[in-house]
Amino acid sequence: MEPGGRPTEAPSHDTGQPEGKTGGPRGRTGTGSLEGRVVVVTGGTRGVGAGIARAFLTAGAHVVVCARRPPPEPVEAAGCRAGFRPLDVREPAAVQALFTGVTEDHGRLDVLVNNAGGTPYRPLADGTAEHHARVVGLNLLAPLTVSLAAYEHLRAARGSVLMIGSVSGTRPSPGTAAYGAAKAGLENLARSMAVEWAPEVRVNTLVLGMVRTELAHLHYGDDTGVAAVAGTVPLGRLAEPSDVGDAAVFLASDRAAYLTGASLLVHGGGERPAFLDAATVNKEVSP
């Protein structure tokens, strides 16, 4: 993701070849295991989505990833491969068909990860209302469409939904205002959904900060630029897709059985307030 948590990849509402039957590693035990569970990750072919898919594979789940195009290389982890299905998350009929196919092949659906989304950089006055409406449609209405299509399957399995939010939805997002507004709405949607769908389906949000993906250079520049941006994060680095994946697996696991309507910040401590550096008082003095 680029500054403010917007994805470094293009919107992931893609088409390609159908998946084969696949699975995760066998033999894991414990409440953190997702052995035998079935997970769908939208926009799961690269970047953050692929990191999430790999984490679920490692946890023992069967994973299906969806995008407009097939992944440039298979999404694999722990000796297992995620299945792929083409999907445009903005097309309700295609979304319904996806979950029908997944449950026919795997017999159930336990986890939905609404990761597909994105936005170009566009100041409000440089775009039309239609441009901004499309961003809201992809990042807010599409996750609602997908969640509604998955609901009955998740309810039967007493499963969970994970929304992939952004710090852009928690503070001003200049240049991506429609995206920030959509992500703010997505977090609120998840909280309402959690109340309406409890106790059968849990719904939580991962609120992401900056993530280093294969397209990070488009937003931060070369290694020097990435390092400079990372220096603004309290933990001193950008998140890796695997960091997001680990948090997603936790929220989907039995260890988070009492968490619903929650927002988990995955941002390395956030951003140091600018006024602290601008102020002329309370500066640390070197000995």
PDB file of all heavy atoms in Angstrom, residues 192-214:
ATOM      1  N   SER A 192     -21.825  -2.836  11.746  1.00  0.00           N
ATOM      2  CA  SER A 192     -23.265  -3.092  11.674  1.00  0.00           C
ATOM      3  C   SER A 192     -23.539  -4.533  11.270  1.00  0.00           C
ATOM      4  O   SER A 192     -24.437  -5.197  11.822  1.00  0.00           O
ATOM      5  CB  SER A 192     -23.917  -2.129  10.681  1.00  0.00           C
ATOM      6  OG  SER A 192     -23.773  -0.790  11.098  1.00  0.00           O
ATOM      7  N   MET A 193     -22.781  -5.020  10.312  1.00  0.00           N
ATOM      8  CA  MET A 193     -22.934  -6.398   9.859  1.00  0.00           C
ATOM      9  C   MET A 193     -22.668  -7.373  11.003  1.00  0.00           C
ATOM     10  O   MET A 193     -23.363  -8.394  11.152  1.00  0.00           O
ATOM     11  CB  MET A 193     -21.953  -6.638   8.699  1.00  0.00           C
ATOM     12  CG  MET A 193     -22.179  -7.904   7.916  1.00  0.00           C
ATOM     13  SD  MET A 193     -20.957  -8.042   6.580  1.00  0.00           S
ATOM     14  CE  MET A 193     -21.505  -6.728   5.492  1.00  0.00           C
ATOM     15  N   ALA A 194     -21.663  -7.053  11.838  1.00  0.00           N
ATOM     16  CA  ALA A 194     -21.326  -7.925  12.956  1.00  0.00           C
ATOM     17  C   ALA A 194     -22.496  -8.067  13.919  1.00  0.00           C
ATOM     18  O   ALA A 194     -22.749  -9.151  14.469  1.00  0.00           O
ATOM     19  CB  ALA A 194     -20.100  -7.384  13.683  1.00  0.00           C
ATOM     20  N   VAL A 195     -23.219  -6.968  14.147  1.00  0.00           N
ATOM     21  CA  VAL A 195     -24.367  -7.017  15.054  1.00  0.00           C
ATOM     22  C   VAL A 195     -25.519  -7.785  14.417  1.00  0.00           C
ATOM     23  O   VAL A 195     -26.140  -8.647  15.054  1.00  0.00           O
ATOM     24  CB  VAL A 195     -24.811  -5.593  15.438  1.00  0.00           C
ATOM     25  CG1 VAL A 195     -26.096  -5.620  16.264  1.00  0.00           C
ATOM     26  CG2 VAL A 195     -23.695  -4.887  16.211  1.00  0.00           C
ATOM     27  N   GLU A 196     -25.801  -7.512  13.166  1.00  0.00           N
ATOM     28  CA  GLU A 196     -26.928  -8.169  12.501  1.00  0.00           C
ATOM     29  C   GLU A 196     -26.701  -9.663  12.294  1.00  0.00           C
ATOM     30  O   GLU A 196     -27.645 -10.457  12.359  1.00  0.00           O
ATOM     31  CB  GLU A 196     -27.198  -7.499  11.146  1.00  0.00           C
ATOM     32  CG  GLU A 196     -27.777  -6.108  11.254  1.00  0.00           C
ATOM     33  CD  GLU A 196     -28.386  -5.637   9.953  1.00  0.00           C
ATOM     34  OE1 GLU A 196     -28.640  -6.476   9.061  1.00  0.00           O
ATOM     35  OE2 GLU A 196     -28.604  -4.421   9.811  1.00  0.00           O
ATOM     36  N   TRP A 197     -25.471 -10.068  12.052  1.00  0.00           N
ATOM     37  CA  TRP A 197     -25.196 -11.456  11.696  1.00  0.00           C
ATOM     38  C   TRP A 197     -24.737 -12.315  12.870  1.00  0.00           C
ATOM     39  O   TRP A 197     -24.532 -13.513  12.717  1.00  0.00           O
ATOM     40  CB  TRP A 197     -24.173 -11.500  10.570  1.00  0.00           C
ATOM     41  CG  TRP A 197     -24.727 -10.992   9.274  1.00  0.00           C
ATOM     42  CD1 TRP A 197     -25.967 -10.482   9.049  1.00  0.00           C
ATOM     43  CD2 TRP A 197     -24.059 -10.955   8.008  1.00  0.00           C
ATOM     44  NE1 TRP A 197     -26.117 -10.118   7.721  1.00  0.00           N
ATOM     45  CE2 TRP A 197     -24.967 -10.393   7.061  1.00  0.00           C
ATOM     46  CE3 TRP A 197     -22.782 -11.317   7.583  1.00  0.00           C
ATOM     47  CZ2 TRP A 197     -24.629 -10.206   5.720  1.00  0.00           C
ATOM     48  CZ3 TRP A 197     -22.443 -11.133   6.243  1.00  0.00           C
ATOM     49  CH2 TRP A 197     -23.352 -10.590   5.327  1.00  0.00           C
ATOM     50  N   ALA A 198     -24.562 -11.704  14.030  1.00  0.00           N
ATOM     51  CA  ALA A 198     -24.197 -12.492  15.209  1.00  0.00           C
ATOM     52  C   ALA A 198     -25.403 -13.348  15.648  1.00  0.00           C
ATOM     53  O   ALA A 198     -26.552 -12.956  15.444  1.00  0.00           O
ATOM     54  CB  ALA A 198     -23.791 -11.557  16.346  1.00  0.00           C
ATOM     55  N   PRO A 199     -25.161 -14.510  16.257  1.00  0.00           N
ATOM     56  CA  PRO A 199     -23.843 -15.067  16.591  1.00  0.00           C
ATOM     57  C   PRO A 199     -23.266 -15.993  15.531  1.00  0.00           C
ATOM     58  O   PRO A 199     -22.166 -16.499  15.704  1.00  0.00           O
ATOM     59  CB  PRO A 199     -24.143 -15.856  17.872  1.00  0.00           C
ATOM     60  CG  PRO A 199     -25.534 -16.390  17.630  1.00  0.00           C
ATOM     61  CD  PRO A 199     -26.253 -15.288  16.884  1.00  0.00           C
ATOM     62  N   GLU A 200     -24.000 -16.194  14.419  1.00  0.00           N
ATOM     63  CA  GLU A 200     -23.547 -17.206  13.458  1.00  0.00           C
ATOM     64  C   GLU A 200     -22.301 -16.789  12.676  1.00  0.00           C
ATOM     65  O   GLU A 200     -21.466 -17.627  12.341  1.00  0.00           O
ATOM     66  CB  GLU A 200     -24.679 -17.552  12.472  1.00  0.00           C
ATOM     67  CG  GLU A 200     -25.847 -18.272  13.094  1.00  0.00           C
ATOM     68  CD  GLU A 200     -26.874 -17.331  13.670  1.00  0.00           C
ATOM     69  OE1 GLU A 200     -26.686 -16.094  13.554  1.00  0.00           O
ATOM     70  OE2 GLU A 200     -27.869 -17.822  14.224  1.00  0.00           O
ATOM     71  N   VAL A 201     -22.200 -15.500  12.316  1.00  0.00           N
ATOM     72  CA  VAL A 201     -21.091 -15.028  11.477  1.00  0.00           C
ATOM     73  C   VAL A 201     -20.389 -13.867  12.183  1.00  0.00           C
ATOM     74  O   VAL A 201     -21.042 -12.878  12.547  1.00  0.00           O
ATOM     75  CB  VAL A 201     -21.595 -14.562  10.091  1.00  0.00           C
ATOM     76  CG1 VAL A 201     -20.424 -14.067   9.238  1.00  0.00           C
ATOM     77  CG2 VAL A 201     -22.331 -15.704   9.382  1.00  0.00           C
ATOM     78  N   ARG A 202     -19.089 -14.007  12.367  1.00  0.00           N
ATOM     79  CA  ARG A 202     -18.305 -12.900  12.918  1.00  0.00           C
ATOM     80  C   ARG A 202     -17.803 -12.017  11.770  1.00  0.00           C
ATOM     81  O   ARG A 202     -17.485 -12.520  10.693  1.00  0.00           O
ATOM     82  CB  ARG A 202     -17.097 -13.427  13.713  1.00  0.00           C
ATOM     83  CG  ARG A 202     -17.480 -14.215  14.942  1.00  0.00           C
ATOM     84  CD  ARG A 202     -16.266 -14.585  15.794  1.00  0.00           C
ATOM     85  NE  ARG A 202     -15.314 -15.416  15.079  1.00  0.00           N
ATOM     86  CZ  ARG A 202     -14.098 -15.011  14.701  1.00  0.00           C
ATOM     87  NH1 ARG A 202     -13.674 -13.774  14.955  1.00  0.00           N
ATOM     88  NH2 ARG A 202     -13.274 -15.834  14.067  1.00  0.00           N
ATOM     89  N   VAL A 203     -17.709 -10.710  12.015  1.00  0.00           N
ATOM     90  CA  VAL A 203     -17.257  -9.752  11.004  1.00  0.00           C
ATOM     91  C   VAL A 203     -16.275  -8.794  11.640  1.00  0.00           C
ATOM     92  O   VAL A 203     -16.614  -8.107  12.614  1.00  0.00           O
ATOM     93  CB  VAL A 203     -18.432  -8.970  10.385  1.00  0.00           C
ATOM     94  CG1 VAL A 203     -17.933  -8.097   9.229  1.00  0.00           C
ATOM     95  CG2 VAL A 203     -19.543  -9.907   9.916  1.00  0.00           C
ATOM     96  N   ASN A 204     -15.062  -8.736  11.115  1.00  0.00           N
ATOM     97  CA  ASN A 204     -14.017  -7.866  11.662  1.00  0.00           C
ATOM     98  C   ASN A 204     -13.283  -7.156  10.528  1.00  0.00           C
ATOM     99  O   ASN A 204     -13.391  -7.542   9.362  1.00  0.00           O
ATOM    100  CB  ASN A 204     -13.025  -8.684  12.491  1.00  0.00           C
ATOM    101  CG  ASN A 204     -13.656  -9.240  13.753  1.00  0.00           C
ATOM    102  OD1 ASN A 204     -14.054  -8.502  14.642  1.00  0.00           O
ATOM    103  ND2 ASN A 204     -13.766 -10.573  13.821  1.00  0.00           N
ATOM    104  N   THR A 205     -12.526  -6.125  10.900  1.00  0.00           N
ATOM    105  CA  THR A 205     -11.785  -5.329   9.922  1.00  0.00           C
ATOM    106  C   THR A 205     -10.315  -5.260  10.300  1.00  0.00           C
ATOM    107  O   THR A 205      -9.979  -5.036  11.465  1.00  0.00           O
ATOM    108  CB  THR A 205     -12.346  -3.893   9.857  1.00  0.00           C
ATOM    109  OG1 THR A 205     -13.740  -3.938   9.557  1.00  0.00           O
ATOM    110  CG2 THR A 205     -11.625  -3.070   8.794  1.00  0.00           C
ATOM    111  N   LEU A 206      -9.452  -5.441   9.311  1.00  0.00           N
ATOM    112  CA  LEU A 206      -8.030  -5.144   9.452  1.00  0.00           C
ATOM    113  C   LEU A 206      -7.800  -3.762   8.859  1.00  0.00           C
ATOM    114  O   LEU A 206      -8.066  -3.531   7.670  1.00  0.00           O
ATOM    115  CB  LEU A 206      -7.174  -6.160   8.698  1.00  0.00           C
ATOM    116  CG  LEU A 206      -7.119  -7.574   9.273  1.00  0.00           C
ATOM    117  CD1 LEU A 206      -6.325  -8.483   8.342  1.00  0.00           C
ATOM    118  CD2 LEU A 206      -6.503  -7.579  10.651  1.00  0.00           C
ATOM    119  N   VAL A 207      -7.336  -2.827   9.673  1.00  0.00           N
ATOM    120  CA  VAL A 207      -7.095  -1.457   9.223  1.00  0.00           C
ATOM    121  C   VAL A 207      -5.604  -1.331   8.922  1.00  0.00           C
ATOM    122  O   VAL A 207      -4.776  -1.297   9.832  1.00  0.00           O
ATOM    123  CB  VAL A 207      -7.528  -0.441  10.297  1.00  0.00           C
ATOM    124  CG1 VAL A 207      -7.283   0.982   9.794  1.00  0.00           C
ATOM    125  CG2 VAL A 207      -9.005  -0.628  10.642  1.00  0.00           C
ATOM    126  N   LEU A 208      -5.276  -1.269   7.633  1.00  0.00           N
ATOM    127  CA  LEU A 208      -3.880  -1.334   7.217  1.00  0.00           C
ATOM    128  C   LEU A 208      -3.256   0.040   7.036  1.00  0.00           C
ATOM    129  O   LEU A 208      -3.897   0.981   6.552  1.00  0.00           O
ATOM    130  CB  LEU A 208      -3.755  -2.093   5.894  1.00  0.00           C
ATOM    131  CG  LEU A 208      -4.384  -3.483   5.824  1.00  0.00           C
ATOM    132  CD1 LEU A 208      -3.976  -4.155   4.527  1.00  0.00           C
ATOM    133  CD2 LEU A 208      -4.041  -4.332   7.028  1.00  0.00           C
ATOM    134  N   GLY A 209      -1.993   0.117   7.392  1.00  0.00           N
ATOM    135  CA  GLY A 209      -1.172   1.261   7.050  1.00  0.00           C
ATOM    136  C   GLY A 209      -0.406   0.963   5.775  1.00  0.00           C
ATOM    137  O   GLY A 209      -0.919   0.320   4.856  1.00  0.00           O
ATOM    138  N   MET A 210       0.837   1.382   5.710  1.00  0.00           N
ATOM    139  CA  MET A 210       1.641   1.216   4.495  1.00  0.00           C
ATOM    140  C   MET A 210       2.227  -0.191   4.442  1.00  0.00           C
ATOM    141  O   MET A 210       2.808  -0.676   5.420  1.00  0.00           O
ATOM    142  CB  MET A 210       2.743   2.265   4.456  1.00  0.00           C
ATOM    143  CG  MET A 210       2.200   3.677   4.364  1.00  0.00           C
ATOM    144  SD  MET A 210       3.481   4.952   4.387  1.00  0.00           S
ATOM    145  CE  MET A 210       4.017   4.895   6.097  1.00  0.00           C
ATOM    146  N   VAL A 211       2.068  -0.836   3.280  1.00  0.00           N
ATOM    147  CA  VAL A 211       2.534  -2.203   3.094  1.00  0.00           C
ATOM    148  C   VAL A 211       3.502  -2.240   1.917  1.00  0.00           C
ATOM    149  O   VAL A 211       3.236  -1.641   0.866  1.00  0.00           O
ATOM    150  CB  VAL A 211       1.359  -3.168   2.836  1.00  0.00           C
ATOM    151  CG1 VAL A 211       1.870  -4.602   2.726  1.00  0.00           C
ATOM    152  CG2 VAL A 211       0.321  -3.051   3.947  1.00  0.00           C
ATOM    153  N   ARG A 212       4.606  -2.941   2.089  1.00  0.00           N
ATOM    154  CA  ARG A 212       5.605  -3.045   1.021  1.00  0.00           C
ATOM    155  C   ARG A 212       5.251  -4.239   0.126  1.00  0.00           C
ATOM    156  O   ARG A 212       5.423  -5.387   0.493  1.00  0.00           O
ATOM    157  CB  ARG A 212       7.004  -3.229   1.619  1.00  0.00           C
ATOM    158  CG  ARG A 212       8.098  -3.271   0.556  1.00  0.00           C
ATOM    159  CD  ARG A 212       9.464  -3.185   1.191  1.00  0.00           C
ATOM    160  NE  ARG A 212      10.512  -3.124   0.176  1.00  0.00           N
ATOM    161  CZ  ARG A 212      11.773  -2.777   0.439  1.00  0.00           C
ATOM    162  NH1 ARG A 212      12.139  -2.472   1.677  1.00  0.00           N
ATOM    163  NH2 ARG A 212      12.662  -2.730  -0.531  1.00  0.00           N
ATOM    164  N   THR A 213       4.748  -3.943  -1.060  1.00  0.00           N
ATOM    165  CA  THR A 213       4.420  -4.973  -2.037  1.00  0.00           C
ATOM    166  C   THR A 213       5.327  -4.827  -3.251  1.00  0.00           C
ATOM    167  O   THR A 213       6.206  -3.952  -3.292  1.00  0.00           O
ATOM    168  CB  THR A 213       2.950  -4.857  -2.486  1.00  0.00           C
ATOM    169  OG1 THR A 213       2.801  -3.679  -3.301  1.00  0.00           O
ATOM    170  CG2 THR A 213       2.006  -4.792  -1.289  1.00  0.00           C
ATOM    171  N   GLU A 214       5.082  -5.659  -4.255  1.00  0.00           N
ATOM    172  CA  GLU A 214       5.918  -5.622  -5.451  1.00  0.00           C
ATOM    173  C   GLU A 214       5.752  -4.318  -6.237  1.00  0.00           C
ATOM    174  O   GLU A 214       6.566  -4.019  -7.123  1.00  0.00           O
ATOM    175  CB  GLU A 214       5.621  -6.825  -6.353  1.00  0.00           C
ATOM    176  CG  GLU A 214       4.180  -6.920  -6.829  1.00  0.00           C
ATOM    177  CD  GLU A 214       3.303  -7.758  -5.935  1.00  0.00           C
ATOM    178  OE1 GLU A 214       3.440  -7.676  -4.694  1.00  0.00           O
ATOM    179  OE2 GLU A 214       2.457  -8.501  -6.479  1.00  0.00           O
TER     180      GLU A 214
END
